[in-house]
Amino acid sequence: MRIGIDARELFGQTTGVGRYLTNLLMEWSDQCKTGYTFILYSPASEDRAVDLFNRLKLTGNPTFKHRRLEGGQGTLWEQIQLCKTANADNLDVFFAPNYSAPLMLQIPFVLALHDVSYFSRPDWFNWREGLRRRLLAGKSARLAHTVLTLSQFSREEIVNHLNINSDRIIVTPLGTSGSRVGHIGSKDSHLVLFAGSCFTRRRLPDLIRAFAIVQSQESRARLSIVGDNRTYPHVDLESIVNDSGIANYVSIENWINDQDLTELYRKAKVFAFLSEYEGFGLPPLEALAFGTPSVMLDTKIAREVMGEAASFVPLNDIHSTVSALSELLWDSPKRRAILKAAPRILARHNWADTATRTMRAVEQAATDRYD
């Protein structure tokens, strides 16, 4: 079986979709040893492809091949270069991991649609980006053989906003790299961490203002924010930090490498994720795997993913957020209860299962083509 994959997100500064595809490929390298060929399409140079294959331990594995397509890496590349090449490459099926696919593909494709925030809350996107996403994602979902999404919540959102038959949508929850929860008393830091793209929906200003109160009560507390600022309308997070008088206690970085991010997860005493909308929301689950409990907004998706393994606070309630952050900075009964629930929650999410479910959908799309 020849499977084409849009691999653009594997290169550059890895974000959520890149990590998603990275973990799928690593699992498929173990699961799909005979009869499979994966063609990874990207505009990246062959030198960068070699580095990627080395990092993913795919070097020398004939199952995986990289094909460079020049012409940028945006929508035109996807709809023209990628489409033309994929149609000519004798593929059985195509996997589109990043919200959209080439609309003129002549082979069946499986689409990963992680969330539909641009339909649910168009005010979070500038008009050009929102329109592009809605047009491409909506058309791709209607043309796809199967739509994969990350949660029951997101499945319901896709049905409601795109009018897609629910039978064509399969839930494939994300995984973690296994339960690594350490001893609850093993962390002596007072670090609060946020990691992930800084979208408007993740309410970083609320976190900063709540942390300012926490820091006034606990001088050892520190806050680290890691993620590209993609707020719309743009929010100047540094100015909010400065205006709050906590510049000496807060670090803001657009991106750090995976090794440094892992160290922050290990060090952090609390993870903060005040998002009011997600298709899944992986960072709190990743933090939990390092024994770091999260403070989260009390939403349907947060409850679906995290169960009782988080501290939930209401929207627009700074006082409750302050209390929750303070409580988890200490080895309180709440912190111990969350970490006690962690192994059960983490056991429900593993990349091997995600990869198996995803490949099953890809295989079915290829099989239906020839029936």
Side-chain angles (χ1 to χ4, degrees):
M1 181 184 302
R2 287 172 59 83
I3 303 167
I5 299 176
D6 180 349
R8 285 174 291 174
E9 292 294 325
L10 294 176
F11 300 91
Q13 294 183 355
T14 304
T15 56
V17 174
R19 289 190 175 90
Y20 165 72
L21 184 55
T22 292
N23 281 284
L24 290 182
L25 293 176
M26 292 175 69
E27 293 295 338
W28 286 340
S29 70
D30 290 330
Q31 296 178 5
C32 307
K33 293 184 180 297
T34 305
Y36 295 84
T37 299
F38 296 90
I39 316 257
L40 309 182
Y41 299 97
S42 88
S45 69
E46 291 307 318
D47 286 343
R48 294 182 68 193
V50 168
D51 290 341
L52 174 73
F53 275 45
N54 287 337
R55 178 164 57 85
L56 301 187
K57 300 180 180 179
L58 302 178
T59 302
N61 187 337
T63 301
F64 295 87
K65 304 179 184 300
H66 176 258
R67 181 155 185 185
R68 183 189 185 193
L69 304 180
E70 296 183 353
Q73 60 179 13
T75 299
L76 288 179
W77 180 91
E78 174 189 68
Q79 297 301 320
I80 297 175
Q81 291 289 95
L82 178 57
C83 186
K84 178 182 177 180
T85 307
N87 282 335
D89 266 359
N90 195 30
L91 301 174
D92 295 294
V93 64
F94 190 87
F95 176 54
N98 189 24
Y99 295 90
S100 64
L103 300 179
M104 300 300 290
L105 279 176
Q106 298 169 5
I107 53 176
F109 67 90
V110 173
L111 173 73
L113 193 55
H114 307 284
D115 68 77
V116 289
S117 53
Y118 34 87
F119 285 95
S120 179
R121 289 294 303 269
D123 55 306
W124 289 338
F125 302 85
N126 71 60
W127 73 268
R128 190 187 302 274
E129 176 69 3
L131 179 62
R132 182 188 71 83
R133 284 177 173 268
R134 288 189 293 274
L135 288 175
L136 284 175
K139 187 67 171 177
S140 297
R142 294 181 184 97
L143 292 173
H145 177 280
T146 304
V147 175
L148 305 181
T149 196
L150 308 178
S151 62
Q152 292 295 338
F153 169 78
S154 188
R155 187 184 194 208
E156 294 169 5
E157 288 281 281
I158 293 170
V159 170
N160 292 337
H161 289 287
L162 275 67
N163 197 29
I164 303 294
N165 190 315
S166 61
D167 292 342
R168 292 179 50 230
I169 306 171
I170 297 175
V171 176
T172 56
L174 299 181
T176 66
S177 299
S179 177
R180 298 183 294 270
V181 178
H183 188 271
I184 60 174
S186 62
K187 298 189 179 186
D188 57 5
S189 81
H190 291 77
L191 176 66
V192 177
L193 172 65
F194 167 89
S197 295
C198 298
F199 296 119
T200 302
R201 67 178 185 255
R202 291 176 176 171
R203 306 184 72 87
L204 273 302
D206 287 356
L207 171 59
I208 293 168
R209 293 182 180 112
F211 174 78
I213 299 173
V214 171
Q215 207 286 323
S216 69
Q217 299 169 349
E218 171 50 72
S219 61
R220 293 171 293 178
R222 299 292 184 271
L223 172 63
S224 179
I225 295 173
V226 179
D228 187 29
N229 189 340
R230 298 170 64 183
T231 54
Y232 180 83
H234 180 76
V235 176
D236 189 337
L237 300 178
E238 287 85 357
S239 291
I240 297 174
V241 168
N242 291 334
D243 292 345
S244 300
I246 52 173
N248 292 334
Y249 310 102
V250 179
S251 66
I252 299 178
E253 298 179 86
N254 288 336
W255 182 85
I256 60 176
N257 63 43
D258 286 346
Q259 182 177 354
D260 290 341
L261 181 59
T262 294
E263 286 304 309
L264 279 179
Y265 272 126
R266 286 199 178 105
K267 181 180 179 181
K269 193 74 176 284
V270 183
F271 193 82
F273 201 71
L274 304 180
S275 180
E276 58 183 291
Y277 187 100
E278 295 291 328
F280 186 86
L282 182 59
L285 198 65
E286 292 181 323
L288 191 65
F290 287 98
T292 304
S294 292
V295 174
M296 306 178 69
L297 287 190
D298 195 352
T299 63
K300 186 175 181 180
I301 183 60
R303 291 281 185 177
E304 179 182 339
V305 174
M306 301 299 292
E308 295 304 314
S311 180
F312 299 102
V313 298
L315 179 66
N316 294 323
D317 191 336
I318 297 295
H319 176 74
S320 293
T321 304
V322 170
S323 297
L325 290 172
S326 299
E327 190 174 31
L328 295 188
L329 279 171
W330 301 99
D331 293 325
S332 63
K334 179 67 173 180
R335 180 183 179 85
R336 291 195 292 270
I338 289 173
L339 293 181
K340 184 177 180 180
R344 181 174 68 255
I345 299 301
L346 293 170
R348 300 192 322 215
H349 300 94
N350 66 84
W351 284 113
D353 183 56
T354 306
T356 298
R357 295 189 193 194
T358 304
M359 182 50 59
R360 193 177 299 139
V362 171
E363 290 169 338
Q364 189 62 56
T367 299
D368 289 349
R369 176 187 184 186
Y370 299 112
D371 284 348

